[in-house]
Amino acid sequence: MIIEGGTIVNEGRTFKGTVVIDNDRIVDVIEERGERREERGKRREERGESSQRLKATGCYVLPGIIDEHVHFREPGLTEKADMATESRAAAAGGVTSFFDMPNTKPQTTALEALEEKFSIAGEKSLVNYSFFFGATNDNYECFQSLPANRIPGIKLFMGSSTGNMLVDREEALDQVFAHASRANLPLMAHCEDTGLIDCNMAEFRRHFGDDPEVWRHPLIRSEEACLASTVKAIELAVSHDTRLHVAHVSTARELELFPPNTSWITAEATVGHLYFSFADYCRLGTRIKVNPAIKTFRDRYALRQGLMDGHVTTIGTDHAPHLLSQKEGGCFKAASGMPMIQFSLVTMLELVDEGVLTLEKLVELMCHNPARTFGVKERGYLRKGYKADLVIVRPNTPWTVTPDVIQSKCGWSPMEGHEYQWHVEHTLCNGRSVYDGKNVLTGSTGEAIQFSHT
């Protein structure tokens, strides 16, 4: 396959060029500038030019997006989502690789459960996959037995979370960080202080009833609760020389804790926290109820600034589908989480148009840095010899999110009714088309991602 006529965005550069693919690999990335047409033709011929050409004129060609933070709900919670449906949503959104979280049923806290997930994904996932292993209060001794070349790392819930995976004993926390370091595996932490949250919830329920209105959610899962837990996580990481990645940072004060442009203690921002703010609760209610909570305009502004100044290292989605019936209620009753993977790339491209970040930085945060941070092998870049994971996007192409375009099994999105100006024209995973701009193309499955933790 030859992808020609597009503008390639890769490794900090934007240029007109051609990508040549043979089977599942990129065999050449040819820059058009300064090279005679006949020379380009000769190089293509030497690489066995195929009759299959994909015209990308007027489009941008990017590496496939790596979403480091999703909840695809399988096994055990498949009324909400499953590997097949959510990987379809990923393909339609230009996402070619995902890392799934461990709070399923059973939880991914034992080797048998981890292998079961790989088996399910091998049969069902349209795009590439891997799975975090979940830490508990007493399973840290098995970390060094984990298949490090097949997983991105350890997921640690340091705050209240669904699935009863909270690690809340001081000695256990210390051991989790120590054993993750010995196993040379990154530790991705959900940081919220459970004691502070429980105190806040009890106080708000006394004053406002059993199920306070959803707009009070960021006051219950407060800035202080996030900050206290993140401070503790960083202290433990420094103490044990543990590679720490803090998930879904949601406050300006937390972001100040992360040195810019480092590779050892890093921060993730999610699309939801970058796009929404406190004011959106009036419009969307529990549809944007997530943990940690979406907070103030000031916090959103700081996170957006962090994209360009180096304080934020990666962008994920925390894609977490629930049925709409499970989103009914307020702070106490409504489930936390929202589906976002299908619309993550086009949402961030909207922020590019607004001047929040550059297109080159978007590719760094959504493709290159997830690969670097977790040691992904041969993905995340448009390079010779790398796997042919690509997405082609077209600007100035208005379209509106309607229920019929939503691929997630839950059947809804907080972006319903929103008009986007960017459109995903094509998604290729391992050299195969999985989305053609209108239809998800099911005839292949993704691959298990390989890692090198050095």
Side-chain angles (χ1 to χ4, degrees):
M1 179 182 289
I2 293 178
I3 301 170
E4 57 187 1
T7 300
I8 295 168
V9 186
N10 186 53
E11 301 193 66
R13 299 181 61 234
T14 300
F15 55 91
K16 293 281 187 181
T18 299
V19 181
V20 184
I21 298 169
D22 185 19
N23 292 319
D24 64 343
R25 300 275 176 175
I26 296 169
V27 296
D28 210 350
V29 179
I30 306 168
E31 185 172 358
E32 298 294 318
R33 187 184 63 184
E35 189 173 31
R36 294 201 307 270
R37 187 179 300 274
E38 58 269 24
E39 291 173 339
R40 294 198 301 271
K42 183 179 178 182
R43 288 176 68 188
R44 292 172 188 164
E45 198 173 303
E46 288 171 350
R47 284 158 177 80
E49 180 172 355
S50 165
S51 60
Q52 186 177 6
R53 291 190 176 193
L54 193 57
K55 295 287 187 182
T57 306
C59 297
Y60 290 84
V61 182
L62 321 177
I65 304 304
I66 299 174
D67 193 338
E68 64 183 11
H69 190 165
V70 307
H71 301 262
F72 278 8
R73 305 301 192 195
E74 191 168 8
L77 300 166
T78 53
E79 76 280 5
K80 306 170 192 259
D82 59 51
M83 294 281 186
T85 60
E86 305 319 290
S87 66
R88 286 172 60 94
V95 177
T96 55
S97 297
F98 67 84
F99 306 160
D100 187 59
M101 294 296 152
N103 48 338
T104 47
K105 290 184 179 180
Q107 299 165 356
T108 319
T109 55
L111 284 170
E112 296 79 10
L114 180 65
E115 292 301 331
E116 181 186 6
K117 275 194 171 181
F118 275 110
S119 177
I120 294 168
E123 294 178 1
K124 292 186 175 183
S125 182
L126 191 61
V127 299
N128 306 313
Y129 51 86
S130 189
F131 306 96
F132 277 95
F133 188 82
T136 69
N137 278 315
D138 54 14
N139 73 346
Y140 43 79
E141 290 186 354
C142 76
F143 289 178
Q144 286 176 282
S145 302
L146 294 173
N149 64 324
R150 298 173 64 206
I151 65 171
I154 309 294
K155 178 65 186 287
L156 168 66
F157 291 95
M158 288 182 66
S160 297
S161 174
T162 54
N164 193 30
M165 289 188 64
L166 174 64
V167 179
D168 55 359
R169 299 203 305 259
E170 292 291 333
E171 181 183 352
L173 273 175
D174 197 66
Q175 291 293 339
V176 165
F177 276 83
H179 280 76
S181 179
R182 288 171 199 158
N184 197 30
L185 284 168
L187 190 65
M188 188 174 188
H190 176 139
C191 293
E192 291 182 283
D193 187 286
T194 306
L196 288 173
I197 292 169
D198 289 347
C199 242
N200 290 340
M201 179 62 87
E203 185 70 15
F204 273 72
R205 293 179 82 181
R206 273 197 299 271
H207 285 90
F208 304 109
D210 283 345
D211 195 22
E213 302 96 322
V214 69
W215 64 266
R216 301 184 194 275
H217 187 56
L219 305 176
I220 294 169
R221 302 187 84 99
S222 62
E223 174 189 68
E224 290 76 18
C226 294
L227 184 65
S229 186
T230 299
V231 166
K232 178 181 284 188
I234 292 174
E235 288 174 349
L236 286 166
V238 170
S239 173
H240 292 289
D241 198 26
T242 309
R243 169 75 187 85
L244 173 67
H245 191 58
V246 178
H248 41 46
V249 170
S250 63
T251 72
R253 290 178 67 191
E254 283 176 281
L255 208 58
E256 294 169 359
L257 302 172
F258 297 90
N261 303 310
T262 60
S263 60
W264 202 250
I265 296 177
T266 52
E268 171 200 65
T270 68
V271 176
H273 290 101
L274 289 163
Y275 192 77
F276 299 114
S277 71
F278 184 83
D280 292 302
Y281 287 108
C282 294
R283 179 171 59 92
L284 292 166
T286 58
R287 290 192 177 211
I288 60 165
K289 180 176 183 273
V290 294
N291 299 337
I294 288 164
K295 296 185 174 65
T296 68
F297 179 85
R298 173 180 172 271
D299 292 312
R300 186 185 73 173
Y301 177 80
L303 290 172
R304 289 181 172 191
Q305 290 291 108
L307 300 176
M308 288 301 294
D309 68 19
H311 285 88
V312 172
T313 299
T314 62
I315 296 171
T317 60
D318 194 10
H319 174 81
H322 295 283
L323 300 179
L324 274 177
S325 60
Q326 296 165 331
K327 296 290 285 180
E328 293 175 0
C331 291
F332 186 72
K333 293 181 180 178
S336 291
M338 62 182 174
M340 204 63 191
I341 197 168
Q342 185 175 347
F343 309 109
S344 60
L345 174 56
V346 289
T347 301
M348 294 310 302
L349 287 166
E350 187 171 304
L351 296 192
V352 169
D353 287 342
E354 292 176 15
V356 173
L357 75 168
T358 64
L359 190 51
E360 294 82 3
K361 181 59 76 169
L362 179 153
V363 169
E364 181 182 331
L365 292 163
M366 299 185 82
C367 310
H368 303 337
N369 283 358
R372 271 199 297 258
T373 300
F374 295 101
V376 175
K377 294 181 70 173
E378 299 180 338
R379 303 188 193 275
Y381 300 83
L382 300 181
R383 289 177 177 170
K384 294 179 185 180
Y386 271 50
K387 291 284 189 173
D389 297 340
L390 303 92
V391 56
I392 301 170
V393 291
R394 185 182 297 277
N396 306 314
T397 308
W399 64 283
T400 301
V401 179
T402 53
D404 60 296
V405 306
I406 295 170
Q407 298 290 327
S408 289
K409 191 174 187 177
C410 65
W412 66 275
S413 167
M415 306 311 297
E416 280 180 65
H418 184 76
E419 183 180 89
Y420 284 107
Q421 302 304 312
W422 288 80
H423 187 259
V424 175
E425 296 283 296
H426 221 98
T427 306
L428 282 80
C429 185
N430 304 306
R432 292 174 176 259
S433 295
V434 292
Y435 182 68
D436 66 2
K438 293 182 181 178
N439 301 299
V440 177
L441 309 173
T442 59
S444 61
T445 56
E447 296 178 354
I449 299 164
Q450 295 294 304
F451 299 86
S452 176
H453 300 292
T454 56

